[in-house]
Amino acid sequence: MADWFKGIASDWTLVDYLASIHAGLASYYNADDMYIGNYVGALYQINTGSTTIVDWCHNNPTPDHTDEAIRGLEESKIRAIFLHGSRNMNLKKVSHILVKYRIQKMKSKD
């Protein structure tokens, strides 16, 4: 990674972070980006020796974003706990996602 990127937010306030990341960069992520980010990130964690991670995901604007984030973790084969941490959380939508995920896991042979 380029050296210019290191420490880019080291002097940000919480307001700066929320405006730049949550309201800025995160709004450009699509569901495929969530998959790729979680998949590659989990493979990196496995490579560094991590055996279990927690993904407290705050970029869940659609159910597809959440599904793809979870798929990235599953396909990497890392042990992970996925926490839905959206600041715009719709409890009915989250409940639907969790029920759908549990049903899929019960049907799978894993």
Side-chain angles (χ1 to χ4, degrees):
M1 184 171 284
D3 286 336
W4 63 266
F5 193 72
K6 292 179 182 173
I8 196 168
S10 62
D11 61 345
W12 286 3
T13 65
L14 177 60
V15 173
D16 294 334
Y17 170 77
L18 293 173
S20 299
I21 301 300
H22 284 279
L25 181 63
S27 65
Y28 292 99
Y29 273 57
N30 62 38
D32 290 335
D33 296 327
M34 298 299 292
Y35 167 78
I36 293 166
N38 271 12
Y39 181 73
V40 172
L43 292 178
Y44 176 80
Q45 290 299 318
I46 292 167
N47 189 51
T48 61
S50 297
T51 60
T52 305
I53 63 168
V54 173
D55 177 8
W56 189 15
C57 186
H58 286 81
N59 193 21
N60 311 89
T62 71
D64 287 342
H65 280 72
T66 301
D67 289 346
E68 290 301 290
I70 292 169
R71 186 171 72 93
L73 295 172
E74 289 179 328
E75 290 186 5
S76 74
K77 304 296 185 202
I78 196 165
R79 280 184 289 185
I81 298 169
F82 181 86
L83 304 176
H84 193 288
S86 177
R87 60 187 167 85
N88 296 320
M89 189 166 60
N90 176 328
L91 293 179
K92 287 184 180 180
K93 189 183 293 185
V94 172
S95 296
H96 167 72
I97 291 166
L98 293 175
V99 168
K100 176 181 166 187
Y101 179 71
R102 286 184 186 135
I103 290 170
Q104 287 174 342
K105 290 304 283 183
M106 285 188 284
K107 288 180 180 179
S108 74
K109 297 185 190 311
D110 296 355

